[in-house]
Amino acid sequence: METESSSGQPTSASSTEAVHAGERRFRSHNSLTVPIVQTAVYTFDTTADLVAFTEERMFWDEPEREEYGRYGNPTVRAAEAKLAALEHAQDAILLGSGMAAVTGTLLVLLSAGQHFILTDNCYHSTLEFAQGFLPRLGITHTVVPCGDLAALEAAIRPETRLIFSESPTNPFMRCTDYGQLAEVARRHNLLTAIDATFATPYNVRPLEHGIDLVIHSLTKYLSGHNDLMAGAVAGRYDLTTPLRQTQGLLGSIIAPHTAYLILRGMKTLALRMERQNASGLAVAQYLEQHPKVRKVWYPGLESHPDHAVAVATMRGFGGVVSFEIDGDATRAHRFIDALKIPTIGPSLGGVETMVSPLAVMGFANVPPEERDLLGIRDELVRLCLGIEETDELIADLDQALAVI
Ligand SMILES: *Cc1c(COP(=O)(O)O)cnc(C)c1O
């Protein structure tokens, strides 16, 4: 499917697309669902078949058949085709985790001597990779405040090649105007990659705003059931093809069964996001008026610094609500322990609501001074809503706040 021009109205993944897109190729035994092709090896009847396949592969990135499991699998390709359709991308590549997608993209797009720009409040492992690993390869970066286009432009150097951003961010849900970011990049002839894990193609399709590559941790909303690890990169063939070739070398592939679970999970993306968007807004509004809550970060609230950008560019604001309990760590932990529906855990985007005291979950290994700089206070709580009933979630928050 072609990427729409950035002048067109932004669109959003529909349930019809989520159910049907990408499942075109493979119907063995007349199976309704895409089969799990559990094999490492694909065989050839004759040497002539092998020669024909080799020639086909030289001219077409997506051959009708496979040769060896590290280079392709029909179940994985079906999941890739569905994600590409949902993102309005020419191509999508599935990898072993969200971090394999982030690191693979940076390794393929950047060479020694080059520089990239990273926006702050990004996924902490992404920052660690930029700070601790890429300098060994002679690749440098500058961190600029998310959404500050003037600071971003000022950080561009002759050797800059890429702007890597995230939106909405974790945990403060900062939102970037993708179109403006793409416009700055175009003027300076730079590539753009966005980690849009928190958005999903239901809330916004970054490629329609002129972004070059969109990255996801499929572990979160896209698979949606807290039962697998995977990542993805979607975009134009000229950018995804080198990434696919490098994936064949690095071996950062996913298993066919995982791809099947992703296909199944993605079918309900629109239904799940509808509920998670609605619960996110209702819970954020409830928390904001509660006297025992000091501050709430949710882009659907007028009090959020990026409310205007979010309203202008996104269909909904997702299911992550971050807030500070009015008190110290002890009070925040008492609140969390009093909750009955959410479980304490480090992830988001699945059907089960999860709650994290971030200073000791996700940021526990970050030195306290750096945690302060990042704004991760002891009483900061991140609530990642699942698909339970909104009113029951709010009633649960209400009873837990009442006892602290
Ligand atoms: C979880 C996450 C990642 C990493 O994904 P994994 O699947 O855990 O490797 C990257 N970016 C964001 C925004 C995330 O939430």
Side-chain angles (χ1 to χ4, degrees), residues 96-102 122-126 164 166-170 195-198 215-220 228-231 346-348 382:
S97 68
M99 279 312 294
V102 169
C122 68
Y123 191 67
H124 203 262
S125 301
T126 301
F164 190 103
E166 199 174 302
S167 179
T169 65
N170 175 22
D195 180 341
T197 298
F198 275 47
I215 294 172
H216 287 288
S217 166
L218 299 184
T219 314
K220 317 293 172 48
L228 61 87
M229 303 284 310
S347 197
L348 63 119
R382 189 186 68 181

Side-chain angles (χ1 to χ4, degrees), residues 2-296:
E2 287 300 308
T3 303
E4 293 197 354
S5 82
S6 54
S7 58
Q9 277 299 308
T11 61
S12 165
S14 77
S15 233
T16 312
E17 288 173 306
V19 171
H20 294 288
E23 303 203 13
R24 61 196 159 77
R25 263 216 297 176
F26 205 82
R27 285 286 184 268
S28 75
H29 309 288
N30 304 308
S31 166
L32 170 64
T33 56
V34 174
I36 302 169
V37 183
Q38 188 67 48
T39 187
V41 181
Y42 307 86
T43 60
F44 296 86
D45 289 339
T46 63
T47 49
D49 285 351
L50 172 60
V51 170
F53 167 73
T54 306
E55 284 171 358
E56 179 194 14
R57 203 174 51 176
M58 278 165 58
F59 297 108
W60 193 29
D61 295 318
E62 204 186 334
E64 273 298 322
R65 56 154 297 153
E66 311 295 346
E67 178 196 20
Y68 184 61
R70 210 174 62 249
Y71 306 128
N73 173 281
T75 319
V76 175
R77 289 205 193 262
E80 290 176 337
K82 188 182 287 291
L83 180 61
L86 292 179
E87 283 292 3
H88 282 189
Q90 286 177 355
D91 191 21
I93 303 175
L94 261 53
L95 300 98
S97 68
M99 279 312 294
V102 169
T103 56
T105 300
L106 293 172
L107 287 172
V108 169
L109 293 184
L110 298 163
S111 305
Q114 291 182 335
H115 168 263
F116 71 105
I117 295 168
L118 186 61
T119 52
D120 69 354
N121 196 219
C122 68
Y123 191 67
H124 203 262
S125 301
T126 301
L127 184 65
E128 280 175 48
F129 185 68
Q131 288 177 339
F133 191 96
L134 288 177
R136 283 165 47 190
L137 307 180
I139 297 165
T140 56
H141 71 280
T142 304
V143 177
V144 303
C146 185
D148 184 343
L149 292 175
L152 190 142
E153 205 150 1
I156 295 171
R157 306 179 192 165
E159 65 273 24
T160 306
R161 170 151 165 81
L162 169 73
I163 301 169
F164 190 103
S165 189
E166 199 174 302
S167 179
T169 65
N170 175 22
F172 296 117
M173 303 295 287
R174 299 303 306 264
C175 300
T176 298
D177 186 321
Y178 295 138
Q180 286 181 3
L181 189 78
E183 161 55 24
V184 172
R186 241 189 322 272
R187 260 192 283 120
H188 295 272
N189 205 18
L190 305 178
L191 290 170
T192 45
I194 293 275
D195 180 341
T197 298
F198 275 47
T200 83
Y202 182 79
N203 281 339
V204 58
R205 286 169 156 147
L207 304 181
E208 286 184 349
H209 296 261
I211 297 297
D212 294 306
L213 284 172
V214 56
I215 294 172
H216 287 288
S217 166
L218 299 184
T219 314
K220 317 293 172 48
Y221 289 107
L222 278 156
S223 72
H225 293 74
N226 288 322
D227 57 2
L228 61 87
M229 303 284 310
V233 184
R236 299 190 308 271
Y237 279 122
D238 63 317
L239 295 172
T240 57
T241 301
L243 188 60
R244 201 180 277 288
Q245 286 162 348
T246 304
Q247 180 186 36
L249 297 175
L250 295 179
S252 48
I253 56 165
I254 68 163
H257 186 246
T258 305
Y260 175 79
L261 290 173
I262 291 167
L263 271 170
R264 186 160 91 159
M266 282 195 294
K267 289 186 198 210
T268 54
L269 175 71
L271 287 177
R272 288 184 284 106
M273 290 309 296
E274 210 176 305
R275 168 62 62 87
Q276 282 161 306
N277 282 343
S279 283
L281 185 58
V283 163
Q285 285 167 343
Y286 163 79
L287 290 170
E288 189 167 51
Q289 55 74 43
H290 201 287
K292 292 180 184 172
V293 175
R294 189 185 298 137
K295 188 164 169 48
V296 183

